Amino acid sequence: MLNCHVLIIGSGGAGIRAAIEAESSGSVIIVSKTITGKGGCTVMAEGGINAVLKEEDSTQIHFEDTMKGGAYLNDETLVQTLVTDSPKRIQDLFNWGAVFDEDEMNRIAQRPFGGQRFPRTCYAGDHTGHEIVMTLLERLRGSKVQILDEITVVDLLVGNDGVYGAITVDRNGKFDYITADAVVLATGGAGQLYSVTTNSTAGTGDGYALGYRAGAKLIDMEEVQFHPTGAVYPIDSRGRLITEAVRGEGGILRNKNGERFMECYDPERKELSTRDVVARAIATEILEGRGTPNGGVYLDVTHLPREQIETRLPIMLEQFLTYGVDIREQMIEVAPTAHHFMGGLQINTDAATTIPRLFAAGEVSGGVHGGNRLGGNALAETQVFGTKAGISAGKCSPQKITPDTALIAKLEEKVNEWMNGTLPIAEARKQLKLLMWNKVGIYRNELDLKVAKRDLAVLREKTLKISSRMEIADAFITENMMMVASLVIEGALLRKESRGAHCRTDIKQSWTPDKSPFGHTWFQKEKRGIEIREENL
Amino acid sequence: MKVQVARYNPETDSKPHYETYNVTVQEGARILNVLDAIHDTIDSTLGYRHCCRGGQCGSCAVRVNGEPTLACQKEAKDGDVIEPLNIPLIRDLITDIAPVIAQMAWMNTGCTYTPVTREEIENIKPLRSCIECYSCISSCPAVESSTYAGPTIMRQEQRLNLDPRDIDTERIEKAIEKGLFSCTTCRKCVEVCPKKIDTPKKAVEKLREVAVRKGLALPAHKSLAKLIEDTGRSVDKIEKTFLEMVPDVIEPDGPVRATVGFFVGCVINGRNPQTALDAIEVLKRNGIRVIIPKTQVCCGSPLIRTGFTGFIPELQERNIKAFEDIDTVITICAGCGSTLKNDYTTPFRVADITEYLVEIGYEIPGKIKGTFTYHDPCHLLRGQGIKDQPRQIIRDMVENFVDMPARCCGAGGGVKSGQPDEAAKIGKIRAEMVKKTGADTVVTVCPFCGLHLHQVTGLPTMNIVSLMYEGYRKK
């Protein structure tokens, strides 16, 4: 059994940032089900990180862009924190060695991104997330933080005074406890609930399930962003992210007839409209028969100078060359792909969840992005709220609680059931992902959602099957995925409007997002609901 | 699709074994998709790492048919053999990378704000794309035979060394402690790197330059550098050199098909002049007029590899001037060829003799009896991309040719002079590979490899030109 002052769960951008910040407050452990730094989606993030750095820009405009992009479902105080702190966090990264691209005046370079009125997205080529993680790792490795790799958290320890640690399982299936004065959840999102996703295999939504079981409140779980541009070929890499930077650099979307269709959907912003709009436009083109033979549309950069592609989009170029496509000469085929969960654990500006001693940062939290996230705001969120969570967790008073050994005995019972189960993990995940993609995707309606709810319930009734202790972590994770999926479906049923990324084709509404009578959907213990905004009734 | 996968469970197996799996995968499937298929449909206990599935996290590196690669990027082929990286094993394809990570340097930034220029950023970038997959560590011959921490560890040291924000004043000392002088500059790490990071050139040689400036170079390298600066040659004069034996221009037998300049490296010029004389005979026989400027000097390779680059501009100038009116300059030493091609901007073309002969066509020599193998000099294979030409020449003229995969002999990069024990250890592994071929003669195109291989194998070694000349004499 290990003990520490602050326990950080998750090792992407938010988790490592929180660990670095918490270091000065006492002993810190960062635990990751993967290798620290490799698991999260931060390392895969390509395009950039938003921050107001120039005088011509302002945090007020960044605030307005984010609120508008988020269909006014965002928590204003969280957005305020995001836009105010992001420049400071960029400066931290820079001071710690980040190799961001610079302009000819030796300033951090910024490029335009969708839904923003000012080019405020800082970048390192098209591997910005990788750059940030490497910078954070350089910092982390120089710190006293204890790093635990390939340890999966299966449950939080909750007492009368809030959270006091976590139960873990290692690679070989051995359970253990880590007790702590405070816990930070930084486990990222749950794109893996969908069969087509940009997320790493670690994006299974464990933090939502851990927080929910511990009694914390979650919001807006139905708000799932489908990134407009995922790969369509080869079949096995369907969904792989084609960064928004491709459009930021001037890429044009065309249907099979060569038409620049974004001119019909958003004549003003075209390809650089918000992601929800572009994703739905592409989905509509495909649904209405104007897609490519592989079921996508074209993203065209062949008109750009070769050198621009080589220096600004080197990873895109390299990845496509691996698959035999030279994007300097051939058009890319793209289609929407599950990308980001805007919803999650409700937090305040200190990154505190609704239960004591539990904090959340990054994609696992909800409220910052509202109904739709702007490109470049996720990396900013990891740094801003990772820092906040680290500070807040560090301030928690010491506590000494010895966990009840019966807790692990209970988990062992579960393991025994799985050993005699019937549903192989791979099969369960496959069915879940298809179900979510087919019924809870970009376009939703009540009938599909109810079918999804029923089918998921049938799936959850079966007992997972494992054949060795090495699969215990995977079994817990699979159960987490199914639980999170149920929250997404319930949220989608509760939100009887189209708002942000959530689009209900069966509902006609008379309001624009800013005048919506609805607020957050919420989920806590066995209760759920949707907030009513009385001022808009 | 049928593949073999190395399996190992530390609780039940004493050593890894191979299992054959037959799985169905989609067109264009990667190795990772094959592993998924095995895991999902045949054996859910198969241990392997994966995460981003897009070549960005570096989790999934394995060896496929012996060569490190990212499982998520490498297209799967029927019959592939999938093994873990050559790093201490935990289970199946999962290796213990924690000790490697522990060697990775971190930035010491102090607390002041330091501006960084765009130029500085651009210099760091080529060393920054590492995804820590550790393919380079897995395949580095120096790592296997010494305490060298490995290529990416040096990459990180130089990345920090280039960054004005890093205030660590002992970066070089730390790099030396981690084995800076162990790298043979064989470039295997560049070959296997998914991001093609040129660690030997952009990190190791640069760090060695700083070591030289700080007076931390190895004594053997210092005396070598002094010898070159004093004499223009990396070997001292003990007998009549090749350049003292030949006229400035040698006319071919029969009509002139082409004219080339001839660059003779220090080792051949001073120690094995016969090799160069054989090369001249081969060129003559193929109708090539040979011009041999006597003002040519050492190419500078030993200096560049060991960090003594101060004298390089002068060597470059002298060599370029020596050959200034010539279109093509021929080398018969891999190290010289690689240096002239990669570390010079020459107004003339440089070609290895095998490359040149195959290109313009050559008379096939008479058959030679015996069993021969070919050793790829690293500076020919990876430094110049020449692999097939020497094999073609040998195969056509010997009774029995047994090929072997490439592997560094351990002599290069100043290791043989600076750290002879390590060179011998790497050489010993190479000697085993040579022995397995059953060859009684090793052919190569590098005098340094030839000398070292002779020492570690006890077998005769031959420059390819000498083999060819012997074949012509047989006719």
Side-chain angles (χ1 to χ4, degrees):
Chain A
M1 190 171 79
L2 293 163
N3 174 260
C4 60
H5 176 48
V6 175
L7 172 64
I8 317 271
I9 304 170
S11 70
I16 305 179
R17 187 64 187 79
I20 291 168
E21 200 62 33
E23 190 202 358
S24 60
S25 69
S27 59
V28 178
I29 293 177
I30 183 165
V31 57
S32 170
K33 69 177 179 183
T34 62
I35 305 289
T36 294
K38 293 190 183 293
C41 288
T42 307
V43 75
M44 305 168 67
E46 293 164 348
I49 174 164
N50 296 339
V52 174
L53 299 179
K54 299 202 175 88
E55 282 200 358
E56 310 89 278
D57 194 8
S58 79
T59 52
Q60 182 57 30
I61 307 178
H62 189 190
F63 176 87
E64 288 167 15
D65 288 347
T66 303
M67 291 299 298
K68 188 180 179 204
Y72 301 96
L73 191 56
N74 329 51
D75 281 336
E76 292 190 10
T77 55
L78 296 179
V79 179
Q80 206 53 259
T81 303
L82 178 81
V83 302
T84 311
D85 285 7
S86 182
K88 297 182 234 171
R89 300 292 82 90
I90 297 277
Q91 196 60 57
D92 288 346
L93 289 169
F94 182 84
N95 290 349
W96 296 343
V99 185
F100 289 127
D101 283 61
E102 292 191 353
D103 63 17
E104 57 291 334
M105 294 167 74
N106 298 326
R107 299 177 304 184
I108 291 174
Q110 293 181 293
R111 64 177 159 212
F113 249 38
Q116 302 188 61
R117 285 173 289 166
F118 193 86
R120 69 168 68 90
T121 306
C122 314
Y123 58 93
D126 56 358
H127 54 270
T128 315
H130 176 260
E131 181 53 42
I132 290 175
V133 167
M134 286 299 140
T135 304
L136 293 171
L137 278 176
E138 282 182 355
R139 194 82 187 162
L140 184 71
R141 287 167 183 169
S143 77
K144 301 187 296 289
V145 174
Q146 189 182 351
I147 301 167
L148 298 181
D149 284 338
E150 295 181 323
I151 304 278
T152 305
V153 169
V154 299
D155 245 328
L156 296 177
L157 294 166
V158 192
N160 296 329
D161 189 24
V163 171
Y164 67 93
I167 305 175
T168 60
V169 67
D170 70 8
R171 229 168 8 218
N172 299 317
K174 188 174 170 295
F175 289 109
D176 203 354
Y177 301 103
I178 304 172
T179 55
D181 303 327
V183 174
V184 176
L185 282 173
T187 49
Q192 284 295 333
L193 298 190
Y194 289 89
S195 55
V196 180
T197 178
T198 60
N199 281 196
S200 79
T201 36
T204 48
D206 303 295
Y208 303 124
L210 294 172
Y212 180 79
R213 285 199 297 270
K217 187 174 176 184
L218 279 73
I219 56 170
D220 300 333
M221 291 303 290
E222 71 285 357
E223 294 291 358
V224 180
Q225 178 171 82
F226 291 84
H227 196 288
T229 56
V232 299
Y233 185 84
I235 293 159
D236 285 311
S237 56
R238 243 189 140 83
R240 181 172 52 84
L241 180 66
I242 313 299
T243 171
E244 185 161 326
V246 177
R247 282 171 290 137
E249 294 294 338
I252 293 170
L253 287 165
R254 299 183 192 281
N255 61 23
K256 74 167 181 195
N257 306 322
E259 294 154 343
R260 188 176 185 179
F261 58 84
M262 281 313 296
E263 285 173 342
C264 311
Y265 296 87
D266 187 343
E268 202 178 307
R269 298 183 292 185
K270 299 188 199 67
E271 282 79 9
L272 288 180
S273 182
T274 49
R275 288 178 176 173
D276 51 342
V277 173
V278 183
R280 282 195 290 270
I282 295 174
T284 304
E285 290 296 308
I286 297 167
L287 281 173
E288 293 180 356
R290 293 185 295 278
T292 65
N294 284 323
V297 296
Y298 294 112
L299 176 56
D300 184 4
V301 289
T302 57
H303 58 287
L304 297 179
R306 294 171 75 91
E307 200 230 332
Q308 184 182 351
I309 296 171
E310 286 154 15
T311 56
R312 304 282 186 81
L313 305 167
I315 295 205
M316 281 298 111
L317 178 61
E318 172 198 309
Q319 284 187 348
F320 275 97
L321 283 174
T322 313
Y323 297 115
V325 176
D326 186 343
I327 65 171
R328 292 166 298 194
E329 283 158 17
Q330 294 161 274
M331 291 196 282
I332 306 168
E333 275 185 78
V334 296
T337 168
H339 188 52
H340 187 95
F341 275 56
M342 275 72 70
L345 288 152
Q346 189 168 44
I347 56 167
N348 63 16
T349 53
D350 292 325
T353 69
T354 57
I355 53 173
R357 297 175 185 273
L358 182 65
F359 303 85
E363 197 175 343
V364 74
S365 71
V368 177
H369 308 294
N372 174 59
R373 174 174 69 74
L374 295 183
N377 267 356
L379 289 181
E381 177 191 26
T382 64
Q383 297 310 288
V384 169
F385 290 95
T387 307
K388 289 278 185 187
I391 294 171
S392 303
K395 285 182 187 160
C396 285
S397 59
Q399 59 180 352
K400 192 161 174 47
I401 304 174
T402 310
D404 185 353
T405 48
L407 291 169
I408 283 182
K410 219 169 141 196
L411 294 177
E412 287 292 355
E413 276 173 33
K414 221 173 159 111
V415 171
N416 275 335
E417 281 173 34
W418 287 333
M419 288 286 186
N420 299 305
T422 53
L423 180 62
I425 288 171
E427 184 57 32
R429 289 195 188 184
K430 193 172 144 196
Q431 286 188 28
L432 173 73
K433 285 154 154 294
L434 278 175
L435 174 78
M436 292 299 285
W437 183 255
N438 291 331
K439 304 282 185 221
V440 200
I442 297 180
Y443 290 115
R444 300 164 177 177
N445 64 70
E446 184 168 313
L447 183 66
D448 276 354
L449 292 171
K450 284 194 165 155
V451 170
K453 190 175 173 176
R454 185 198 63 200
D455 290 355
L456 179 60
V458 172
L459 197 62
R460 290 181 82 185
E461 265 170 33
K462 295 179 186 160
T463 307
L464 292 177
K465 174 179 182 277
I466 62 172
S467 52
S468 83
R469 292 193 70 90
M470 290 177 280
E471 294 169 75
I472 291 175
D474 272 343
F476 277 108
I477 291 166
T478 307
E479 290 206 335
N480 288 344
M481 291 167 76
M482 293 197 279
M483 157 179 286
V484 177
S486 76
L487 299 181
V488 176
I489 296 169
E490 288 185 59
L493 281 164
L494 279 167
R495 186 173 296 287
K496 296 190 191 322
E497 66 171 342
S498 291
R499 184 97 170 264
H502 173 70
C503 183
R504 285 279 298 260
T505 53
D506 57 333
I507 288 172
K508 289 238 180 324
Q509 69 195 57
S510 56
W511 56 84
T512 50
D514 53 324
K515 300 282 186 299
S516 169
F518 299 114
H520 300 305
T521 56
W522 56 271
F523 315 81
Q524 190 166 27
K525 293 285 180 189
E526 295 311 310
K527 294 184 186 145
R528 290 103 184 69
I530 183 161
E531 293 168 358
I532 302 296
R533 288 188 175 169
E534 307 221 347
E535 70 273 20
N536 288 341
L537 274 177
Chain B
M1 174 179 298
K2 230 183 217 170
V3 298
Q4 279 187 72
V5 180
R7 299 297 306 268
Y8 172 66
N9 179 347
E11 280 165 27
T12 53
D13 308 333
S14 58
K15 62 181 180 47
H17 62 279
Y18 293 85
E19 294 274 351
T20 303
Y21 298 98
N22 204 341
V23 290
T24 310
V25 289
Q26 309 264 18
E27 193 199 329
R30 309 284 129 173
I31 293 290
L32 184 54
N33 304 125
V34 170
L35 295 175
D36 286 340
I38 296 169
H39 176 271
D40 291 353
T41 62
I42 302 173
D43 183 354
S44 58
T45 66
L46 175 67
Y48 60 111
R49 287 193 180 110
H50 55 94
C51 220
C52 81
R53 311 179 81 86
Q56 285 157 282
C57 76
S59 301
C60 66
V62 291
R63 282 182 297 162
V64 175
N65 306 323
E67 291 296 312
T69 183
L70 295 178
C72 69
Q73 297 295 296
K74 174 92 176 164
E75 190 165 354
K77 297 264 181 300
D78 195 48
D80 279 344
V81 180
I82 307 166
E83 298 164 291
L85 290 184
N86 188 20
I87 289 175
L89 193 55
I90 294 177
R91 172 167 80 85
D92 293 341
L93 301 174
I94 301 174
T95 53
D96 188 8
I97 57 178
V100 182
I101 297 175
Q103 295 278 334
M104 200 73 85
W106 39 275
M107 183 177 278
N108 186 351
T109 56
C111 34
T112 49
Y113 168 73
T114 314
V116 187
T117 65
R118 188 184 195 178
E119 195 189 343
E120 285 164 332
I121 291 283
E122 295 303 320
N123 281 337
I124 299 167
K125 270 187 180 177
L127 295 172
R128 194 54 172 164
S129 49
C130 175
I131 54 173
E132 299 192 6
C133 70
Y134 309 118
S135 290
C136 60
I137 304 259
S138 170
S139 60
C140 173
V143 166
E144 196 168 357
S145 297
S146 72
T147 56
Y148 182 39
T152 190
I153 306 298
M154 290 301 132
R155 174 205 57 76
Q156 177 68 358
E157 296 289 347
Q158 173 64 359
R159 167 262 176 282
L160 294 172
N161 181 48
L162 283 174
D163 201 314
R165 292 167 290 193
D166 182 49
I167 59 163
D168 199 312
T169 52
E170 298 193 328
R171 206 43 80 199
I172 298 308
E173 287 80 354
K174 286 174 186 167
I176 291 172
E177 212 167 280
K178 292 175 184 176
L180 176 60
F181 296 112
S182 298
C183 168
T184 64
T185 67
C186 77
R187 306 181 66 76
K188 180 71 184 176
C189 55
V190 189
E191 183 185 290
V192 300
C193 177
K195 301 291 173 184
K196 294 284 164 263
I197 302 173
D198 194 342
T199 297
K201 203 174 188 58
K202 295 210 162 88
V204 172
E205 289 174 10
K206 299 292 178 214
L207 285 166
R208 288 176 179 177
E209 271 186 62
V210 187
V212 168
R213 283 204 297 275
K214 284 189 126 184
L216 297 169
L218 295 179
H221 295 166
K222 279 185 193 162
S223 42
L224 188 68
K226 184 163 189 313
L227 184 63
I228 299 175
E229 288 186 23
D230 290 348
T231 66
R233 285 293 175 190
S234 67
V235 297
D236 51 355
K237 188 171 154 30
I238 48 175
E239 55 191 342
K240 204 169 174 190
T241 67
F242 165 74
L243 290 177
E244 290 168 344
M245 297 176 187
V246 287
D248 289 357
V249 180
I250 298 174
E251 293 296 333
D253 313 335
V256 179
R257 289 170 68 213
T259 302
V260 299
F262 187 78
F263 188 91
V264 62
C266 299
V267 176
I268 292 178
N269 183 54
R271 294 285 181 273
N272 318 320
Q274 189 56 47
T275 306
L277 294 170
D278 293 347
I280 301 295
E281 292 302 324
V282 169
L283 292 168
K284 271 168 69 183
R285 176 98 178 194
N286 284 286
I288 300 158
R289 175 194 283 133
V290 187
I291 301 172
I292 311 166
K294 300 299 166 41
T295 49
Q296 59 179 291
V297 287
C298 173
C299 68
S301 175
L303 296 178
I304 298 172
R305 306 308 146 228
T306 55
F308 286 87
T309 48
F311 196 55
I312 292 300
E314 188 182 327
L315 293 178
Q316 286 171 332
E317 202 190 316
R318 284 162 73 176
N319 280 322
I320 289 171
K321 195 159 188 322
F323 290 95
E324 66 186 337
D325 297 323
I326 294 165
D327 294 335
T328 302
V329 173
I330 300 296
T331 59
I332 55 170
C333 163
C336 299
S338 173
T339 302
L340 293 176
K341 283 179 179 177
N342 303 315
D343 298 297
Y344 279 57
T345 310
T346 53
F348 44 82
R349 179 192 174 207
V350 178
D352 180 75
I353 192 161
T354 62
E355 175 187 14
Y356 187 73
L357 288 175
V358 169
E359 189 180 295
I360 69 160
Y362 64 97
E363 181 193 342
I364 295 176
K367 272 273 184 248
I368 303 281
K369 282 209 158 86
T371 301
F372 294 79
T373 189
Y374 172 69
H375 168 80
D376 286 287
C378 299
H379 291 275
L380 192 63
L381 176 69
R382 300 187 199 98
Q384 304 179 53
I386 295 173
K387 182 184 177 197
D388 298 332
Q389 296 91 325
R391 286 181 168 78
Q392 180 191 322
I393 292 171
I394 302 166
R395 207 171 257 134
D396 283 349
M397 63 172 290
V398 300
E399 177 190 33
N400 190 14
F401 175 68
V402 185
D403 207 352
M404 65 178 171
R407 194 178 197 280
C408 176
C409 71
V415 172
K416 190 170 170 63
S417 59
Q419 310 198 138
D421 289 353
E422 178 198 333
K425 269 191 192 162
I426 298 174
K428 207 174 154 199
I429 296 174
R430 188 55 170 161
E432 284 302 312
M433 294 172 78
V434 171
K435 201 173 154 191
K436 239 171 97 179
T437 66
D440 39 46
T441 307
V442 185
V443 183
T444 188
V445 200
C446 169
F448 214 47
C449 294
L451 172 68
H452 190 58
L453 284 172
H454 172 62
Q455 287 171 356
V456 293
T457 60
L459 292 175
T461 56
M462 252 176 137
N463 191 299
I464 197 163
V465 294
S466 301
L467 181 73
M468 287 181 84
Y469 183 46
E470 197 182 322
Y472 289 137
R473 274 181 301 180
K474 284 270 158 62
K475 272 190 157 177

